[in-house]
Amino acid sequence: MEKTIANTVLKVNEEGYLTDFSQWNQEVGSAIAQEANIGMTARHWEVIAYLQREFKNEVPLSIRRIGKSGVVDIKEFYQLFPMAPLKTASKIAGIPKPVSCI
Amino acid sequence: MGHDSNTMKRILILGAGTAGTMMANHLRRHLSVENWEIDIVEERTEHHYQPGYLFLPFDIYTPEDISKPVCEFIPKGVNLINDHIEKIDPEQQFAIMRNGDRLHYDLLIIATGTKIAPEETPGMLGPEWQQSVFDFYTFEGALALRNKLREWQGGRLVVHVTEMPIKCPVAPLEFAFLSDSYFKNKKMRDKVEITYITPLSGAFTKPKATTALQHLLDEKNIRIESDFAIEHVDNDNKTIVDYGGRTIPFDLLVTVPTNKGDELLARSGMGDDLNFVPTHKATLQAKNWPNVFVLGDASDIPTSKAGSVAHFEAEILTENILSFIAGEPLKQEFDGHANCFVETGEGKALLIDFNYTHEPVEGTFPLPGIGPLRLLKENRMNHMGKLAFRWIYWNMWLKGNHIPFVSAKMQEAGKAFD
């Protein structure tokens, strides 16, 4: 699927996650955040940058790992990205929806 | 022993649960007793049929149905060591026992499974533990819950999953479905409100199965609360609270606590943050030590932690271990195949069959186009299959016998992929 975000045509999946991380930039991230009613602050971007680093290192993301990362604790993570923080933050970060092992 | 000690080598299997026992049986058949000693270490003396933990609380199975001596399933020619392992030294290739003895190995198989860790969630092990807060992933927990359910007068039943991954990820859903049946049979369904609480976005992680299971939840009047990441259990108010502040009251909480690998792996520096061993998902070789293999729930591979997975893995791992011993390359063959019966209550079940790349879909199993079992469709035949499975488990599976028509690699024929 394609979607126009921040005046750019982007490849996304049916849930709106970017499928090509190279298309991501901060404007794209801001626009996705806006759709989720999240006003991005410097603190938000710090967390996003951390998620992107982990993604590039192929470290699977989980709420638990983020809580122990030293970057942000789980409580604050929820305050920054309410409801389903990992999913919302991953979408803003332009990385795939985290898979929970089943 | 009369063997030449210079050529005699040792395979050490840690854990005589489903995975370890199957592996002992497979390997003893393929390796000569003159060249290979096989030892298996297990702390417990009773082998539990763990799928039975689901049925114990509802008085469907008795404790006797699901417990047999470990030694009954260990083949001749394999030494069963009933002891506790203090530590593994994967560099020096030995395990240290409780009394300090060192057991050297040439090849190590880790099959120590996964355990619940309720201590990971603040308040879970509080004063309400086994009063109104229960698990059913341990024999003791399932039994205590059975006794509670026998006398419970009704109220808010909350079935809860703490975090993924968990062993047998469909079990908590099955628990909710069976609760619905159980209370109907006791003519008190109207006195019980059932809520299913999950950290996932829906009933299951795979889309097609989620749709089918969501439909069943609606039909049985079970409310679902998704994306719930628990922060703590409030014992005074009998609520669970998530990081976002969502609060859910309960009269009876049946929770699946965080699952972790054995502490041994933390003590040995071999596990990840949940004590699961980093493992190559297609070969089952540990990522850090070539002569260490990991089978069943103990590994971090991205498939279900379930007996069916261990069964399929054991067939492929046996070949790989023989290749490894012969100095040949390992086959990259394990595809994450899992096959689970899902009890849906009222004498019915559905069946799901999937792997790393293919989600569960509708179709027939095990014979394409014939069945007799139906995938992702609820019926009585599937339920009979699940009950018959206990016999298969004790009499065929643990002994490492191949189940006719069911291949280790998932079959794509007879399935309705898009």
Side-chain angles (χ1 to χ4, degrees):
Chain A
M1 280 173 71
E2 287 187 337
K3 190 176 174 183
T4 307
I5 301 171
N7 302 318
T8 327
V9 179
L10 301 166
K11 281 181 242 162
V12 296
N13 71 7
E14 60 280 8
E15 290 181 292
Y17 288 82
L18 259 59
T19 53
D20 178 3
F21 179 67
S22 71
Q23 294 189 313
W24 188 89
N25 57 46
Q26 196 156 330
E27 271 170 72
V28 169
S30 295
I32 299 172
Q34 221 159 38
E35 285 180 5
N37 292 318
I38 291 169
M40 298 295 282
T41 65
R43 186 64 185 134
H44 286 89
W45 290 118
E46 271 176 53
V47 175
I48 294 295
Y50 158 73
L51 296 181
Q52 292 171 335
R53 273 201 306 279
E54 293 293 278
F55 167 69
K56 284 176 197 158
N57 295 333
E58 292 175 26
V59 178
L61 290 165
S62 69
I63 297 264
R64 158 181 293 273
R65 291 214 171 97
I66 288 162
K68 290 188 173 169
S69 65
V71 175
V72 60
D73 65 28
I74 302 177
K75 199 99 201 167
E76 190 191 357
F77 192 38
Y78 266 80
Q79 283 157 5
L80 295 170
F81 306 96
M83 283 309 285
L86 187 52
K87 273 168 242 165
T88 311
S90 297
K91 197 184 267 188
I92 296 169
I95 62 177
K97 183 176 172 180
V99 283
S100 317
C101 298
I102 65 154
Chain B
M1 295 278 280
H3 301 309
D4 181 346
S5 60
N6 291 326
T7 57
M8 192 72 168
K9 290 187 170 177
R10 179 190 272 151
I11 291 182
L12 185 59
I13 304 174
L14 305 183
T18 308
T21 301
M22 288 191 295
M23 218 47 221
N25 280 287
H26 277 295
L27 289 174
R28 191 65 290 170
R29 232 173 270 155
H30 287 93
L31 295 171
S32 81
V33 286
E34 282 77 35
N35 297 321
W36 285 94
E37 176 180 327
I38 302 177
D39 296 337
I40 186 164
V41 188
E42 172 60 58
E43 256 179 304
R44 286 161 296 197
T45 53
E46 290 294 311
H47 184 118
H48 287 167
Y49 173 61
Q50 294 180 50
Y53 292 170
L54 173 67
F55 295 107
L56 191 56
F58 301 110
D59 270 316
I60 299 170
Y61 285 166
T62 64
E64 296 73 46
D65 288 333
I66 61 173
S67 178
K68 288 180 193 282
V70 168
C71 56
E72 239 180 71
F73 304 97
I74 306 301
K76 245 205 216 145
V78 171
N79 304 316
L80 172 61
I81 303 171
N82 185 224
D83 203 346
H84 166 90
I85 307 146
E86 210 47 58
K87 208 175 163 183
I88 305 162
D89 185 332
E91 307 302 332
Q92 306 291 321
Q93 302 184 26
F94 58 76
I96 306 172
M97 315 306 284
R98 196 197 307 267
N99 66 3
D101 280 358
R102 290 177 174 195
L103 214 52
H104 179 269
Y105 62 78
D106 297 284
L107 201 149
L108 181 71
I109 297 172
I110 298 175
T112 42
T114 174
K115 296 183 171 64
I116 60 162
E119 68 280 4
E120 290 280 332
T121 306
M124 199 173 272
L125 286 178
E128 290 299 321
W129 181 249
Q130 296 207 344
Q131 298 299 317
S132 62
V133 178
F134 292 84
D135 85 284
F136 69 99
Y137 270 48
T138 57
F139 181 77
E140 298 72 25
L143 197 61
L145 181 53
R146 180 197 71 176
N147 297 339
K148 174 78 179 184
L149 285 175
R150 280 178 177 178
E151 61 189 37
W152 195 50
Q153 296 299 312
R156 284 168 297 209
L157 168 64
V158 170
V159 182
H160 167 251
V161 179
T162 302
E163 63 178 308
M164 302 303 283
I166 58 168
K167 172 156 48 190
C168 191
V170 291
L173 269 172
E174 294 179 279
F175 190 92
F177 294 148
L178 289 174
S179 299
D180 170 69
S181 280
Y182 177 82
F183 294 120
K184 272 182 189 150
N185 290 336
K186 286 182 93 173
K187 308 264 182 279
M188 56 180 285
R189 182 62 182 88
D190 58 329
K191 296 195 179 72
V192 181
E193 186 187 301
I194 307 175
T195 309
Y196 183 78
I197 303 190
T198 169
L200 304 173
S201 316
F204 203 56
T205 49
K206 311 269 176 171
K208 288 212 169 67
T210 296
T211 309
L213 294 165
Q214 180 62 51
H215 177 73
L216 287 169
L217 287 170
D218 294 342
E219 199 180 281
K220 294 170 196 298
N221 197 15
I222 299 168
R223 198 168 64 84
I224 179 167
E225 191 85 44
S226 54
D227 290 309
F228 189 94
I230 189 170
E231 190 199 14
H232 71 278
V233 178
D234 181 338
N235 285 260
D236 296 332
N237 297 308
K238 288 219 211 167
T239 57
I240 52 175
V241 182
D242 95 338
Y243 284 101
R246 238 188 313 170
T247 300
I248 309 232
F250 64 83
D251 295 302
L252 179 57
L253 174 66
V254 176
T255 184
V256 180
T258 300
N259 278 211
K260 290 174 86 171
D262 201 287
E263 278 295 318
L264 163 69
L265 299 160
R267 292 196 295 274
S268 309
M270 296 176 80
D272 64 12
D273 55 348
L274 286 169
N275 304 341
F276 296 123
V277 183
T279 304
H280 287 288
K281 68 176 193 176
T283 63
L284 308 177
Q285 187 176 41
K287 285 186 176 162
N288 299 326
W289 304 278
N291 64 337
V292 177
F293 293 85
V294 193
L295 183 69
D297 300 347
S299 85
D300 74 338
I301 62 172
T303 184
S304 280
K305 297 192 180 298
S308 65
V309 173
H311 166 80
F312 298 133
E313 285 176 340
E315 294 190 4
I316 285 163
L317 183 57
T318 302
E319 282 186 47
N320 267 352
I321 285 179
L322 297 177
S323 301
F324 181 79
I325 287 171
E328 290 160 7
L330 303 184
K331 294 197 176 100
Q332 309 270 333
E333 281 212 323
F334 187 61
D335 65 355
H337 190 187
N339 178 277
C340 315
F341 287 103
V342 183
E343 277 292 303
T344 55
E346 291 167 54
K348 294 183 189 172
L350 56 80
L351 183 65
I352 54 178
D353 195 55
F354 56 102
N355 67 11
Y356 290 138
T357 49
H358 290 83
E359 63 162 318
V361 293
E362 291 181 10
T364 45
F365 186 87
L367 300 175
I370 297 171
L373 302 176
R374 295 286 306 276
L375 296 168
L376 213 49
K377 279 266 193 276
E378 198 194 16
N379 69 19
R380 289 187 192 279
M381 187 64 159
N382 291 335
H383 170 68
M384 298 316 287
K386 176 129 183 171
L387 294 187
F389 180 69
R390 182 163 58 102
W391 187 91
I392 294 176
Y393 181 88
W394 291 125
N395 295 287
M396 295 180 72
W397 251 37
L398 288 178
K399 292 170 185 163
N401 291 321
H402 183 76
I403 308 298
F405 311 118
V406 182
S407 57
K409 283 201 270 184
M410 196 195 80
Q411 230 182 173
E412 292 180 30
K415 291 185 179 164
F417 294 112
D418 288 337

